[in-house]
Amino acid sequence: MTNPLTEKLVRFQRPERSLPYLPGLGSDRIAPLFGLDIVEYDKLCQSFDDQAREAARALLDDDAVAAAVDALPLQPGQHVLALGESSTADRLSWFEILRHLIELRRPADRIRLSNFAISGATTTQTLNLLPVLGFNRPDWVFCQLGTNDVQRVGGRDGQRLVSRPETERNLRILRDRGLALSNTQWVWLTPTAIDEDRVADYEPFRRNGITWTRIDIADVAMLARELPDRTIDVEDDTVPADEAPLLLDDGVHASVAGQQAVAASFVAALAD
């Protein structure tokens, strides 16, 4: 039985993305970073992929979701690239679920989805990925960023990691230079809401003196809505509900059910 903390680390951390300057970073080198052997690591990664696929299958049981996937404005053979943070880097993220929705519903279209999101990334750090856009020249970019920018160190009254003007500047640079490099169609997603009580109770956050507030998340969501191109609003898709928990125990990251809700909202909005 894999340690729950190890499972969570493998779910969200993708060393091959955050360490792009180390060539040949395969399972044989990544597995030991998590204290696993290659077989254990590959098996765990496959289990997450299987879960994402099952989450997509469950969504496709809804005729409205299936019809929305059919109506997505993605053309056969197109390349879709995702930029973001842990909400997208997650092996069970809305983007991974979207990959399976398209593969299951539109296999003949051979639409390719590439996930370049990095857990913990701020908008400033993501500017380093601009060359990725030039190299890959995607037809679409789906971008969800800003939650890490509004992480506060030292409590609710501490400083944001990235100021609001800097967040806006970074997002606009990312979009403008990205379009110049790849002539892509750009789609923003708002950050999803957080649960402040769970954030405050989560020991690793408390120990390191970091926190998030819903006001700050809402502020980044407002910024996203003001940006050029299309913004799809998923801010409230992880608001705590009485049904299946939509957030993990840390109050920031979405559960599988929460990621399903984001995927369903995104597909419905983009197909509209």
Side-chain angles (χ1 to χ4, degrees):
M1 179 71 72
T2 306
N3 181 291
L5 178 58
T6 300
E7 285 194 15
K8 188 171 185 178
L9 287 172
V10 172
R11 175 177 169 179
F12 288 99
Q13 298 297 327
R14 311 290 286 268
E16 68 276 17
R17 295 183 193 161
S18 53
L19 301 170
Y21 302 110
L22 294 180
L25 202 60
S27 296
D28 59 328
R29 297 187 179 185
I30 296 174
L33 298 176
F34 297 105
L36 301 171
D37 61 37
I38 298 175
V39 173
E40 291 172 326
Y41 177 73
D42 286 344
K43 183 178 180 181
L44 189 53
C45 291
Q46 184 60 54
S47 74
F48 286 129
D49 191 58
D50 292 342
Q51 289 179 64
R53 191 174 184 84
E54 286 309 306
R57 285 189 192 279
L59 285 178
L60 289 174
D61 287 338
D62 185 328
D63 291 341
V65 173
V69 175
D70 291 344
L72 287 174
L74 308 178
Q75 301 305 310
Q78 286 193 323
H79 183 197
V80 182
L81 188 148
L83 296 176
E85 47 205 349
S86 55
S87 57
T88 306
D90 181 0
R91 293 180 188 272
L92 299 174
S93 76
W94 62 273
F95 190 75
E96 298 303 325
I97 293 171
L98 175 64
R99 178 201 313 282
H100 288 295
L101 286 171
I102 293 171
E103 287 179 354
L104 290 167
R105 189 72 183 177
R106 299 170 55 176
D109 287 347
R110 297 186 180 278
I111 296 166
R112 183 160 56 102
L113 281 75
S114 298
N115 193 340
F116 281 90
I118 298 175
S119 291
T122 63
T123 57
T124 305
Q125 292 166 322
T126 304
L127 291 177
N128 288 326
L129 292 179
L130 279 169
V132 169
L133 299 181
F135 179 77
N136 284 273
R137 297 191 177 278
D139 300 288
W140 295 81
V141 171
F142 300 158
C143 185
Q144 185 183 41
L145 281 166
T147 298
N148 289 312
D149 283 31
V150 296
Q151 178 189 133
R152 290 186 180 267
V153 180
R156 291 177 60 91
D157 296 326
Q159 287 291 115
R160 288 167 48 150
L161 285 188
V162 181
S163 69
R164 189 183 199 276
E166 191 74 1
T167 296
E168 181 176 8
R169 168 188 171 275
N170 291 340
L171 292 174
R172 290 185 181 276
I173 289 174
L174 193 64
R175 180 259 184 191
D176 292 346
R177 294 190 184 171
L179 289 181
L181 286 168
S182 61
N183 192 31
T184 186
Q185 296 189 73
W186 202 282
V187 180
W188 303 98
L189 289 80
T190 61
T192 52
I194 54 98
D195 184 325
E196 290 188 17
D197 291 336
R198 290 194 206 181
V199 170
D201 290 339
Y202 191 59
E203 175 58 26
F205 292 161
R206 205 165 57 236
R207 186 169 61 245
N208 289 285
I210 61 176
T211 194
W212 285 264
T213 71
R214 288 205 63 180
I215 291 175
D216 285 339
I217 295 293
D219 185 49
V220 175
M222 184 181 300
L223 263 182
R225 297 183 192 105
E226 295 171 352
L227 292 167
D229 305 303
R230 183 164 189 180
T231 298
I232 293 179
D233 199 329
V234 296
E235 182 185 0
D236 291 333
D237 287 336
T238 52
V239 171
D242 294 333
E243 311 88 61
L246 298 178
L247 289 168
L248 298 179
D249 57 350
D250 60 25
V252 174
H253 297 101
S255 65
V256 179
Q259 292 284 15
Q260 277 182 304
V262 172
S265 288
F266 180 81
V267 166
L270 189 61
D272 186 6

